[in-house]
Amino acid sequence: MISAYFNGKFVEPNESVIPIDERGHQFGDGVYEVIRIYDSKPFMMDEHLDRLYQSADAIKLRIDPNREALKNTMLELIQKSGLTNLDLYVQVTRGMAPRNHLFPDGPVSVSMTAKPFRSIPVGDKGASVILHPDERWENCYIKSLNLLPNILAKQLAYEQGYLEAILVRDGKVTEGTSSNVYIVKDSSIITTPLSNHILSGITRMVVKNLAGHLRIPFVEKQFTPDQMVKADEIFITSTTLEITPIIRVDDKQINDGTTGTVTKALQEQFKKIF
Ligand code: PDD
């Protein structure tokens, strides 16, 4: 089965050789998306495409204006992969040119992979997170390939036995290294408002809609690490982690250390979408 694509060719991932002078490889000069496909049905694909184009625009990357063609290539890869439940990774970079910081004139590079779901490591049991300084730049709304601060913080969490690092900037919680973060207090969901300091998560958008459906107040305001550890519930979301309960922050247990009722209600509604 074919499970990758690079600049016009469907290939096996190990067959595809990225040229040395490729801007994604040399500079991380590009943007990406991760889209989940449930039972052969892409989930929120148009919203992911919107964000891909917004990210590209923000870094002055001239992505293929024919959005339908790009979407069709994505759908073709899904079909060729033979998988029904998969994560589709799409990356667009500023293309190939001898290494020079200035923008090249040539076409962009597009690569994609289709991989079976990695299982969610914690499921309903809940996971633990650490708090970590947000050392990223000012433009975290761009889904850029430059993820060094994210991977360093995530690795640190992993080495200590935690699932995720939750980032803190100027005394306020921003988001996880690859997830958005929410607390529940007095039956309201509170999450960091959208700004240039967080990624506008597609799962966040879904959770906001589900909260509306369940008539649970969804409050977009900043909160501190202290408010986080004193919350009734915490959960994080992403395309691959879906809605993951958090039951421990550093060495502090949250509430009674089990998944809370609001988180459970959201998880149940989320499952009903597919
Ligand atoms: N990450 N914040 C950051 C920094 C992220 O990297 C992600 C997703 C999210 C959640 O966004 P969404 O709900 O649209 O997946 C928030 C992806 C999954 C990744 O890098 O693998």
Side-chain angles (χ1 to χ4, degrees):
M1 289 292 175
I2 296 294
S3 58
Y5 169 92
F6 181 61
N7 285 352
K9 288 201 187 90
F10 291 95
V11 287
E12 276 307 326
N14 294 340
E15 268 174 28
S16 177
V17 177
I18 306 288
I20 297 270
D21 279 338
E22 211 280 334
R23 307 266 309 181
H25 165 61
Q26 285 180 330
F27 292 109
D29 185 7
V31 294
Y32 76 102
E33 281 296 323
V34 181
I35 306 170
R36 192 152 257 203
I37 289 87
Y38 293 95
D39 277 334
S40 303
K41 290 188 284 296
F43 182 54
M44 306 291 282
M45 192 178 203
D46 288 328
E47 289 77 2
H48 280 284
L49 274 168
D50 287 346
R51 192 172 62 186
L52 184 70
Y53 276 81
Q54 282 154 15
S55 295
D57 210 37
I59 65 161
K60 304 188 170 82
L61 183 67
R62 286 190 310 274
I63 200 167
D64 185 349
N66 186 348
R67 189 174 146 146
E68 276 312 295
L70 183 64
K71 187 172 172 179
N72 286 338
T73 307
M74 290 157 80
L75 295 173
E76 203 175 335
L77 180 62
I78 294 168
Q79 211 226 329
K80 282 186 192 300
S81 76
L83 299 166
T84 46
N85 290 298
L86 63 140
D87 289 325
L88 182 73
Y89 176 84
V90 186
Q91 171 177 308
V92 186
T93 78
R94 219 176 300 271
M96 282 165 284
R99 189 177 183 282
N100 178 346
H101 287 62
L102 296 174
F103 292 179
D105 289 330
V108 300
S109 288
V110 179
S111 55
M112 301 181 195
T113 59
K115 304 235 170 87
F117 286 177
R118 269 182 295 161
S119 63
I120 300 176
V122 290
D124 292 344
K125 279 207 320 285
S128 307
V129 295
I130 59 167
L131 290 164
H132 191 272
D134 193 338
E135 294 169 346
R136 301 174 301 164
W137 68 334
E138 291 289 330
N139 299 309
C140 303
Y141 70 100
I142 303 171
K143 205 158 170 55
S144 138
L145 296 179
N146 284 269
L147 290 172
L148 205 44
N150 308 54
I151 62 175
L152 290 175
K154 183 98 157 193
Q155 180 67 20
L156 193 73
Y158 173 78
E159 284 169 8
Q160 297 173 26
Y162 294 81
L163 176 72
E164 174 66 302
I166 302 298
L167 305 174
V168 181
R169 189 190 285 252
D170 299 330
K172 301 284 182 347
V173 172
T174 51
E175 60 180 340
T177 68
S178 61
S179 57
N180 290 113
V181 59
Y182 313 73
I183 59 175
V184 178
K185 193 69 188 169
D186 302 327
S187 302
S188 289
I189 300 166
I190 303 168
T191 196
T192 309
L194 296 181
S195 76
N196 56 323
H197 286 162
I198 68 165
L199 186 76
S200 174
I202 306 296
T203 323
R204 183 187 185 280
M205 198 187 286
V206 174
V207 164
K208 189 174 176 176
N209 286 336
L210 293 180
H213 185 69
L214 292 167
R215 300 192 191 288
I216 302 169
F218 188 90
V219 183
E220 296 175 75
K221 68 168 192 204
Q222 291 195 303
F223 56 91
T224 63
D226 189 51
Q227 287 170 309
M228 184 165 164
V229 294
K230 290 183 182 144
D232 301 331
E233 303 175 31
I234 304 173
F235 62 92
I236 58 176
T237 67
S238 81
T239 298
T240 49
L241 287 171
E242 300 177 345
I243 298 170
T244 295
I246 300 302
I247 53 163
R248 194 173 196 83
V249 177
D250 292 319
D251 57 354
K252 295 187 191 70
Q253 178 179 295
I254 303 308
N255 211 337
D256 64 358
T258 63
T259 303
T261 49
V262 170
T263 310
K264 269 193 197 145
L266 288 169
Q267 285 180 311
E268 272 160 31
Q269 284 295 317
F270 189 79
K271 278 191 204 127
K272 284 188 195 156
I273 303 176
F274 320 114

